[in-house]
Amino acid sequence: RAKDAGGNRYELADPDSDARAIDRHSLTNHLPAALERDEFFLEYQPLIRMSDGRVDGAEALVRWEHPVHGRLGPDRFIPLAEHTGLIVPLGRWVLEQAVRQACDWAAGQPMRVNVNLSPRQLHHPDLVPDTIAVLEAAGVEPSSLCLEVTESALIGADEDELKPLWQLAEMGVDIALDDFGTGYSNLANLRRLPATTLKLDRSFTQGLQRHPADPVDVTFVEGIVSLAHALGLAVTVEGVETEHQAAQLRDLGCDTAQGWYYARPSSAAEFAQEWVEG
Ligand code: C2E
Ligand code: MG
Ligand code: MG
Ligand code: MG
């Protein structure tokens, strides 16, 4: 039985949510040791240029090989790491791994690599010096790195707090606005950010899977693409799962695509085999 009390909702504890709570608690407690024991690893998913179907980079996605629970996706532990602050060292580890990997793949021209930034990293004073240090240590050009920032990370951030991103952008690091169209979308974010790319969330492209496509979704994608292009931004679409969707999104002017239709996230070795020429 749920009880309303001045906007607060109390729910009777059900065993499932109890188990989840304990699980969360124990996961949270194990995060620091997991980082020390090297239980995190990255998978890579190609970004595909829609004009010619060629690979145009890779997004690094973190996973946790948990000794008891097996492989956990980022949705299970990133929010916990964000809450405790462990996201800062974890995020630095991700950045370092991904940049080093991009360098290893570089046979001829370097592979661009996209790394997700959490709000806490964005607001940490070491973001700029850490990023510079990682790039220099690996000998990777700033233009081979794209940092993905979600709109929700920008909520409440004032101009000063966005300065590090502008500094990084000035150095040549690409900035992408991730999951665009979810949550509290605010077109003003496009002006406040030195973004070069807008990543249209999967929820927007789902309606295009249907035959015929949902006309409202088509109109939205069309409008967002034309706005983005008018502002000088490239558009990447997430969650492309079918050929039908891919063809439509290409016709609607999207520049880059990512999704299971092209490839699922995979290990660095598999990624190299499939997507790195040389
Ligand atoms: P995201 O940045 O929007 O990443 C795209 C997510 O969509 C990934 O989920 C990817 O596996 C999934 N995906 C890709 N193609 C398809 C598709 O065709 N269909 C469907 N249904 N899904 C697709 P994943 O790997 O579970 O990551 C979830 C989120 O966790 C990411 O969303 C990102 O926000 C966060 N994340 C991942 N790695 C990191 C990291 O190193 N640091 C931080 N701060 N966040 C991360
Ligand atoms: Mg992302
Ligand atoms: Mg995304
Ligand atoms: Mg997303």
Side-chain angles (χ1 to χ4, degrees):
R1 196 159 51 90
K3 179 183 161 212
D4 278 323
N8 286 324
R9 278 171 194 279
Y10 301 92
E11 282 173 12
L12 278 187
D14 71 277
D16 268 7
S17 80
D18 250 19
R20 275 198 297 274
I22 292 164
D23 202 24
R24 265 205 305 278
H25 190 72
S26 104
L27 287 182
T28 303
N29 288 339
H30 284 97
L31 282 167
L35 187 57
E36 265 171 34
R37 292 191 200 127
D38 246 348
E39 289 171 7
F40 295 104
F41 66 99
L42 298 184
E43 287 194 319
Y44 297 87
Q45 188 178 31
L47 293 148
I48 306 295
R49 199 156 55 207
M50 297 207 96
S51 59
D52 59 9
R54 295 181 67 146
V55 64
D56 193 31
E59 180 172 6
L61 297 158
V62 69
R63 280 89 179 82
W64 181 2
E65 193 67 63
H66 192 285
V68 178
H69 302 297
R71 184 172 295 197
L72 301 179
D75 292 336
R76 289 290 297 281
F77 61 86
I78 289 286
L80 308 178
E82 176 72 20
H83 187 71
T84 64
L86 194 85
I87 190 67
V88 171
L90 175 59
R92 194 185 194 280
W93 179 87
V94 169
L95 181 69
E96 211 169 340
Q97 284 289 115
V99 164
R100 233 191 272 154
Q101 191 55 253
C103 183
D104 285 354
W105 282 330
Q109 70 202 49
M111 180 64 71
R112 283 165 42 90
V113 70
N114 285 34
V115 172
N116 293 285
L117 275 194
S118 83
R120 194 108 169 211
Q121 287 175 276
L122 187 61
H123 300 130
H124 196 280
D126 290 343
L127 176 66
V128 175
D130 274 1
T131 306
I132 294 173
V134 164
L135 289 169
E136 279 179 354
V140 167
E141 292 295 317
S143 60
S144 292
L145 174 66
C146 176
L147 295 174
E148 300 193 358
V149 183
T150 60
E151 293 196 287
S152 52
L154 304 174
I155 293 172
D158 61 27
E159 298 314 308
D160 268 357
E161 289 169 306
L162 295 180
K163 265 187 191 147
L165 285 181
W166 285 91
Q167 268 175 278
L168 290 167
E170 261 159 44
M171 286 165 44
V173 173
D174 268 332
I175 309 291
L177 189 53
D178 202 359
D179 293 348
F180 186 80
T182 57
Y184 301 92
S185 287
N186 182 347
L187 291 177
N189 281 330
L190 291 177
R191 307 195 62 174
R192 300 207 299 149
L193 261 196
T196 47
T197 305
L198 185 157
K199 291 189 81 173
L200 195 56
D201 191 70
R202 184 159 64 87
S203 54
F204 267 95
T205 50
Q206 265 164 352
L208 301 183
Q209 276 185 32
R210 283 185 233 135
H211 298 261
D214 184 333
V216 175
D217 283 322
V218 172
T219 304
F220 262 110
V221 174
E222 243 171 358
I224 290 170
V225 168
S226 80
L227 176 70
H229 284 172
L231 292 170
L233 298 166
V235 177
T236 298
V237 279
E238 302 184 323
V240 179
E241 295 182 355
T242 66
E243 186 177 5
H244 175 64
Q245 241 179 332
Q248 288 185 89
L249 289 162
R250 191 191 51 234
D251 293 346
L252 288 170
C254 296
D255 303 286
T256 318
Q258 189 178 352
W260 297 346
Y261 170 62
Y262 304 99
R264 300 227 174 197
S266 66
S267 72
E270 282 172 279
F271 182 93
Q273 212 171 4
E274 196 74 26
W275 299 101
V276 183
E277 296 130 53

